[in-house]
């Protein structure tokens, strides 16, 4: 299973992060399947790639440390594909979503940590 994680510290309130992130994931071509105030799960639409390569994105919003102007968020991007090559489909989607978050108009990026 391919699995990539990263954390972000964003200059945005926790109330504004969730709807903005849902809109960003939707604009990246992902289907938001489930969300709560501190969790979002989205998945690629089937059809263009093999089922085992479909990427799932989980966003965990840390409400315990959030302030009026800063919120920490962790992304887990994974699929069932074995990561036999460095530049596999899951890695490509991870890099794309990470870049979109880092350059989003919805917030200002304070810190980004890839794991």
């Amino acid at each position: 299973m391919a699995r990539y994680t990263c954390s972000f510290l964003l200059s945005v309130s926790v109330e504004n992060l969730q709807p903005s992130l849902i809109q960003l994931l939707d604009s990246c071509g992902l289907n938001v399947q489930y969300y709560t105030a501190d969790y979002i799960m989205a998945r690629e639409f089937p059809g263009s790639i093999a089922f085992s390569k479909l990427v799932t994105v989980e966003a965990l919003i840390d409400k315990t440390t959030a302030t009026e102007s800063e919120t920490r968020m962790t992304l887990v991007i994974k699929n069932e594909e074995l990561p036999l090559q460095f530049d596999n489909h899951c890695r490509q989607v991870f890099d794309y979503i990470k870049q979109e978050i880092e350059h989003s108009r919805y917030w200002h990026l304070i810190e980004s940590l890839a794991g």
Side-chain angles (χ1 to χ4, degrees), residues 33 36 38-39 54 82 86 99 109:
Q33 296 182 327
T36 63
D38 58 355
Y39 176 81
L54 289 175
L82 290 175
F86 177 75
Q99 178 183 358
L109 177 71

Side-chain angles (χ1 to χ4, degrees), residues 3-4 26 36 40 48 51 61-62 107 110 112-113:
R3 180 183 173 105
Y4 302 95
D26 187 52
T36 63
I40 300 169
S48 61
F51 189 77
I61 301 167
D62 187 357
W107 49 69
I110 297 171
S112 173
L113 300 169

Side-chain angles (χ1 to χ4, degrees), residues 27-114:
S27 72
C28 289
L30 298 166
N31 179 24
V32 176
Q33 296 182 327
Y34 179 79
Y35 62 90
T36 63
D38 58 355
Y39 176 81
I40 300 169
M41 186 188 77
R43 189 157 191 192
E44 283 186 297
F45 288 97
S48 61
I49 58 171
F51 189 77
S52 64
K53 291 185 178 186
L54 289 175
V55 171
T56 300
V57 177
E58 294 180 302
L60 299 109
I61 301 167
D62 187 357
K63 292 174 66 175
T64 61
T65 61
T67 66
E68 285 293 317
S69 61
E70 293 181 359
T71 307
R72 184 167 298 277
M73 172 183 69
T74 301
L75 283 185
V76 178
I77 300 176
K78 59 188 177 181
N79 69 3
E80 297 299 322
E81 174 185 26
L82 290 175
L84 300 175
Q85 300 172 359
F86 177 75
D87 192 28
N88 58 61
H89 177 71
C90 190
R91 179 64 188 218
Q92 292 169 355
V93 173
F94 170 77
D95 289 340
Y96 175 67
I97 293 173
K98 186 173 179 278
Q99 178 183 358
E100 290 298 308
I101 289 171
E102 289 172 348
H103 298 103
S104 175
R105 62 181 169 89
Y106 298 117
W107 49 69
H108 174 70
L109 177 71
I110 297 171
E111 179 181 44
S112 173
L113 300 169

Side-chain angles (χ1 to χ4, degrees), residues 17-26 40 59 61 73 101 107:
L17 177 57
Q18 189 236 31
S20 300
L21 185 58
I22 288 172
Q23 188 173 359
L24 184 135
L25 293 171
D26 187 52
I40 300 169
I61 301 167
M73 172 183 69
I101 289 171
W107 49 69

